[in-house]
Amino acid sequence: MSALPREKESRPSQAVVHELAQQLRADSIRCTTAAGSGHPTSSLSAADLMATLFAWHLRYDWDDPKLANNDRLIFSKGHASPLLYSLFKSVGVVSDEELVGTYRHTGSRLQGHPTPLLPWVDVATGSLGQGLPAGVGMALAGKYLDKLDYRVWVLCGDSEMAEGSIWEALDKAAHYGLSNLTVIVDVNRLGQQGPTELEWDLEAYRQRVEAFGCRALPIDGHDLEQIDEAYSKAQQADRPTVILAKTIKGKGVPEIENKNGWHGKPLPPEMAKKAVRALGGERSLHVATPPRVPRPSEVAAEPDVAVPLPRYALGEKVATRKAFGDALVALGARPKIVVIDGEVGNSTFTEAFKAVYPERFFQMFISEGQMIGAAVGLSARGYTPFAATFAAFMSRAYDFVRMAAISQADIGLCGSHAGVEIGQDGPSQMGLEDIAALRAVHGSTVLYPSDATSAAALTREMADLSGVVYLRTTRGAYPVIYAPDESFPIGGSKVVRRSDDDRVLLIGAGVTVHTCLEAADLLAKEGIPVRVTDLYSVKPIDAETLVRSARATGGRLVVVEDHYPEGGIGEAVMEALTEAGESFKLAHLAVRGLPGSGRPAELMEAAGISVEQVAAATRHLLDK
Amino acid sequence: MSALPREKESRPSQAVVHELAQQLRADSIRCTTAAGSGHPTSSLSAADLMATLFAWHLRYDWDDPKLANNDRLIFSKGHASPLLYSLFKSVGVVSDEELVGTYRHTGSRLQGHPTPLLPWVDVATGSLGQGLPAGVGMALAGKYLDKLDYRVWVLCGDSEMAEGSIWEALDKAAHYGLSNLTVIVDVNRLGQQGPTELEWDLEAYRQRVEAFGCRALPIDGHDLEQIDEAYSKAQQADRPTVILAKTIKGKGVPEIENKNGWHGKPLPPEMAKKAVRALGGERSLHVATPPRVPRPSEVAAEPDVAVPLPRYALGEKVATRKAFGDALVALGARPKIVVIDGEVGNSTFTEAFKAVYPERFFQMFISEGQMIGAAVGLSARGYTPFAATFAAFMSRAYDFVRMAAISQADIGLCGSHAGVEIGQDGPSQMGLEDIAALRAVHGSTVLYPSDATSAAALTREMADLSGVVYLRTTRGAYPVIYAPDESFPIGGSKVVRRSDDDRVLLIGAGVTVHTCLEAADLLAKEGIPVRVTDLYSVKPIDAETLVRSARATGGRLVVVEDHYPEGGIGEAVMEALTEAGESFKLAHLAVRGLPGSGRPAELMEAAGISVEQVAAATRHLLDK
């Protein structure tokens, strides 16, 4: 995997690198002052680190950002975007006009924090402690899947070293022997509100990094030779390397160097002008970063492989989580499918995939944030990652999921053990807010199958969807209600019980589809025909069918969900009907109390979502 | 702070402690087999550790769990609840009948994972890596606020050491010199799905723990003398101590000792019977855990202190986040108020509190999970914690907030920099799903003030509310619209513009109240009178006033929110009106695209929530 650093004889001189660093500083100041906001001082501290990287080590074809063995660079300290964009200017892909004239403007691709609107940015950063976890995912791809000699370089801030996610990431980097990963920590001592916890105590950082299994290289982050040497060593290492670079915040502008109170503040125009002059004025140095040779073709496109889905007999009792695992195995025929576990693969059934495709299964142990971070990184490398844990514990990674949407990552998430239906383990293990949380993620898809057939079919669909896709599965085994070849388009729904005389529409999803079907049987015996909808696609929602069914039943609806009432299926239905301009009377049965432990049926009864309670709500609607 | 271990001459013999451990094992097996679920093997590994603690070290008055200087015990590995409840039997507060007859039954207080339904449980656990962060909060209370000599003992599993939150917690424990905290890691080598990452590599754990500033004591977790010695050392230490106890999962039942495949599985009845017999049969050993002397009275109740709120002039432009900080300072007159920061206190304005009450301000640096964990621990000790970060980053701690609700913790959270209104920093810094996430937390309150007066008043209200209370604040400064003495009851709303001829109801909250008021001015000029509601209490919602206003305006509503549409204010309004049985036509203006960077007004326009867009939606409703 390791690659030689660029040959010393053909590279720019140290004087040129120094000039480049000064240009990066001047440009960082210029663009932030022009924008009236941004983080110049956090950019200045890392300018020497990045100038050295670009001039002497980074291998990248700027005309072909998709080139498979380009090195990858992640600014985990996303607020140093002025530096990143100044680097883009130095390699000629962003003009000085764009940099200084559009930074942080509405509509500009040069946003306050980097996003993949820029073709050279693989993942969005700005929520600290997330760039490195994504970098671990990319380095996993490089070492185990792409098997190419590119390196992943991650620039971290020192403040973000306080995030637990950084240690989850370094732990996994060491566990997987990611010698292709180099982390550069810009230890500039000052955070947003004052000194960081460890300030310039590089020795404390060193001990932590080494204890977590990585190689630590403490250096002076303004000494070009030391930086160069560290980068060279990193490329020869047999482990991930963390370069601990002691730097000065605001370096290069004496009035603000190492001074508190200058975080996230542009220099006033006069001060900026003076500083730029002192740094050597405006320049347009150009730096070349040759790609590695030979140039491989882009990682091969996914071949068109048939994915024969598992088949289940009608009436057979199969848990949807089991069907998810079965479908993953089927999908495994496609070489881009990878699966990431949070040490619960025997509950979520990702272990089924592991048994067949161990080389595309990554164990993150119990670190849900890193699990999603890895998924984002793998997605950025062109893979189709599935990550699964209990629905309840998806909340641990919510910030990562939110950022995945900004990264435009295509990731499949599965949350198992949803709702009070899990029973005895109690509320800490019950996903009861996951639909609300996942619906609110930008561009997300939220799926909630009721049986094994639909669970397998929807898992298959997930592999080809864009954005964050969430599948909610159930712990217990319930009867298969769909024949094997039924299709489940995203944004659709199924009317699973209907007559021409239906008086009320019962809407369920997942386990409550079975509740609704049983309630319909009960009501039918009483002479009350009801329609039942399986709302397996919670987002996007099948507004058209809902409107039609609601009209057919006189606008009377009962929504039943194993989820807290806020932000769940009931509100999704209300939103859809309201947007369509429909009038309706709706009884919303959801989990309103704090559940405890108990048998699933007892807990569903206690939550007010049992068969009899659905029937009672239906009768009550008709009595009104 | 340090206290001597119990005098050796008066304590039970080692033989008795061994007997106790065997009883705990037998009882853990009995209750899980009776329940048909649960985690016996994870209980067996820690039985010697806990028997030694209870027999020789723990100081606790079981008749008075509120006693101020009781030691505190947290099972961070909450799935070992059989062991915890067996300990409760051994001290005489839970009967054998309750233990074996009700464990995991519907309605039992002996739930699958511990919750504060039991008076001896301070915080709910079961989401791994959260008990220790809460323990850090309790130890902060003990050392810096209560100033009593109780100790906080936390039992961790080894699997949860992979959670970044554990390292955030140890880091803060060391930073604050919490010598009153003892962490006992039950290193039983096996996780849910197989071997843990580090298995029995105590040396690797030792290096990590010491690198994070704590004292590490590796021991044999089945050697009562080694355990005893470690506990004694911990009580003499000047730092937090982490006891790394090598144990055997399933210890005491040779057929399952150190065997994979037995996680979370009760023994079949016959096997259980045999195991209990081998462990010495059913017993009722009683262990005494004397409280410390002298017995202090319970931590003094909060004195009734006047909290004169800051006053703002009508029309003055003040950011709600600034008013939150001002109100915190006012609340500081109450000695139970504490504030926790995630290194953004100069953005959230908690720094105002720090300036006046530094002794009740705790800096968690950038570790939002630990920030909420500390809040939960402080709440469990009777304090009223406020924790603040950007609304976007509250998502980092969502699992902690979810668990706080199960812990019945009373915590005040503030998320600043909500919505696209923040402008140039871009989407990574914009809270756009926080309302959905926080509404879906059980028993939560969600507040969103529009001006400084209401922000200060609501902050004041937060201090006396139960459960998780979330206040959403805005970055920019907007005019004060309420006079200083206006009151803002929780669950209320304000009609801020009305006439008898109002044709449409505009509903805003936070920044969009100003948008709605400006739109109302615009529409008034066109001869369209509209009513405007400030929905400052998003949850609970003022259904009564909403219904009255909706009826007065012919059921025509426009809801405007700086949040994604799912789970936000619009859906809260739909839910309230639907539950009340009202018919309505509602235009829902919310952030539907992925925002970028830009000026606040431009971004609000791009998101479709500008003044003109509200007016247009209003006209469109009337045209229909």
Side-chain angles (χ1 to χ4, degrees), chain B residues 474-511:
Chain B
T474 303
R475 178 175 180 274
Y478 292 83
V480 172
I481 61 174
Y482 297 109
D485 295 316
E486 186 93 23
S487 73
F488 297 85
I490 303 303
S493 66
K494 295 282 176 192
V495 178
V496 289
R497 181 73 57 91
R498 65 167 295 164
S499 75
D500 289 343
D501 310 314
D502 293 334
R503 299 182 62 198
V504 174
L505 172 63
L506 309 187
I507 300 175
V511 65

Side-chain angles (χ1 to χ4, degrees), chain B residues 243-282:
Chain B
I243 296 168
L244 300 162
K246 180 179 173 180
T247 62
I248 292 169
K249 198 161 179 172
K251 172 76 177 178
V253 183
E255 301 158 78
I256 55 174
E257 277 186 2
N258 196 26
K259 287 227 170 57
N260 201 15
W262 278 97
H263 181 93
K265 286 190 189 150
L267 275 58
E270 273 314 306
M271 196 174 165
K273 225 179 256 175
K274 202 180 121 199
V276 170
R277 222 167 20 236
L279 286 162
E282 295 178 26

Side-chain angles (χ1 to χ4, degrees), chain A residues 106 171 197 347 581 585 602, chain B residues 106 171 192 197 581 585 602:
Chain A
T106 300
D171 180 46
E197 186 178 359
S347 290
K585 299 281 174 198
E602 290 169 356
Chain B
T106 301
D171 180 46
Q192 171 175 328
E197 187 179 359
K585 298 281 174 198
E602 290 168 357

Side-chain angles (χ1 to χ4, degrees), chain A residues 35 37 39 104-107 111-113 115 125-130 159-160 162-165 167-168 171-172 175 191-197 204 207-208 210-213 341 343-347 354 363-368 390 392-393 395-396 398-400 402-403 405-406 408 424-430 432-433 436-437 439-442 539 563-567 570-572 574-575 578-579 581-586 588 592-599 602-603, chain B residues 35 37 39 104-107 111-113 115 125-130 159-160 162-165 167-168 171-172 175 191-197 204 207-208 210-213 341 343-347 354 363-368 390 392-393 395-396 398-400 402-403 405-406 408 424-430 432-433 436-437 439-442 539 563-567 571-572 574-575 578-579 581-586 588 592-599 602-603:
Chain A
S37 71
H39 299 76
R104 288 178 165 245
H105 283 214
T106 300
Q111 299 196 359
H113 294 77
T115 80
T125 51
S127 179
L128 291 171
Q130 294 205 31
S159 276
E160 70 180 313
E163 287 280 15
S165 59
W167 302 99
E168 293 179 358
D171 180 46
K172 299 314 165 302
H175 180 75
Q192 171 175 326
Q193 53 80 56
T196 59
E197 186 178 359
Q207 287 177 21
R208 293 180 183 198
E210 291 184 349
F212 274 72
D341 183 19
E343 220 226 291
V344 287
N346 51 344
S347 290
K354 178 187 178 188
Q363 180 57 266
M364 293 294 128
F365 298 93
I366 306 186
S367 63
E368 294 81 5
F390 283 30
F393 307 137
S395 63
R396 193 62 153 264
Y398 192 40
D399 195 19
F400 290 80
R402 179 183 77 86
M403 288 297 295
I406 302 174
Q408 301 173 32
Q424 287 82 354
D425 271 340
S428 63
Q429 320 291 301
M430 294 171 177
L432 285 165
E433 53 292 285
R439 281 182 68 226
V441 168
H442 182 262
K539 179 186 176 190
H563 185 275
Y564 288 136
E566 297 87 1
E571 292 189 1
M574 292 175 208
E575 172 93 38
T578 299
E579 195 183 339
E582 293 295 305
S583 286
F584 53 90
K585 299 281 174 198
L586 188 153
H588 186 191
R592 289 173 194 273
L594 183 64
S597 291
R599 291 206 186 88
E602 290 169 356
L603 295 186
Chain B
S37 72
H39 299 75
R104 289 179 165 244
H105 284 214
T106 301
Q111 297 195 0
H113 294 75
T115 80
T125 52
S127 179
L128 290 171
Q130 295 205 31
S159 277
E160 70 181 315
E163 287 281 14
S165 59
W167 303 98
E168 293 180 358
D171 180 46
K172 298 315 165 301
H175 180 75
Q192 171 175 328
Q193 53 80 57
T196 59
E197 187 179 359
Q207 286 176 22
R208 293 179 184 199
E210 291 184 350
F212 273 71
D341 183 19
E343 222 227 289
V344 287
N346 51 343
S347 289
K354 179 187 179 188
Q363 179 59 265
M364 294 294 126
F365 297 94
I366 305 186
S367 62
E368 294 80 5
F390 284 30
F393 306 139
S395 62
R396 194 61 154 263
Y398 191 41
D399 195 18
F400 290 80
R402 178 184 78 85
M403 287 298 295
I406 304 175
Q408 301 175 28
Q424 286 82 354
D425 271 339
S428 63
Q429 319 291 302
M430 294 171 176
L432 285 165
E433 53 292 285
R439 280 182 68 226
V441 169
H442 182 262
K539 180 186 174 190
H563 185 274
Y564 288 136
E566 297 88 0
E571 292 190 1
M574 292 175 208
E575 173 93 40
T578 299
E579 196 184 339
E582 294 293 305
S583 285
F584 53 90
K585 298 281 174 198
L586 188 154
H588 186 191
R592 289 173 194 272
L594 183 63
S597 292
R599 292 206 188 89
E602 290 168 357
L603 295 187

Side-chain angles (χ1 to χ4, degrees), chain B residues 173-229:
Chain B
H175 180 75
Y176 279 102
L178 300 179
S179 54
N180 55 341
L181 175 71
T182 308
V183 184
I184 305 155
V185 187
D186 178 18
V187 187
N188 67 21
R189 196 188 70 86
L190 289 171
Q192 171 175 328
Q193 53 80 57
T196 59
E197 187 179 359
L198 296 177
E199 302 204 28
W200 275 327
D201 189 351
L202 294 195
E203 176 57 19
Y205 283 116
R206 186 191 64 72
Q207 286 176 22
R208 293 179 184 199
V209 164
E210 291 184 350
F212 273 71
C214 299
R215 176 178 192 173
L217 295 177
I219 61 164
D220 174 345
H222 299 305
D223 181 320
L224 303 185
E225 275 181 34
Q226 286 191 34
I227 300 169
D228 181 35
E229 194 188 335

Side-chain angles (χ1 to χ4, degrees), chain B residues 336-355:
Chain B
K336 297 272 189 176
I337 301 287
V338 296
V339 172
I340 314 167
D341 183 19
E343 222 227 289
V344 287
N346 51 343
S347 289
T348 60
F349 280 94
T350 57
E351 67 173 11
F353 183 92
K354 179 187 179 188

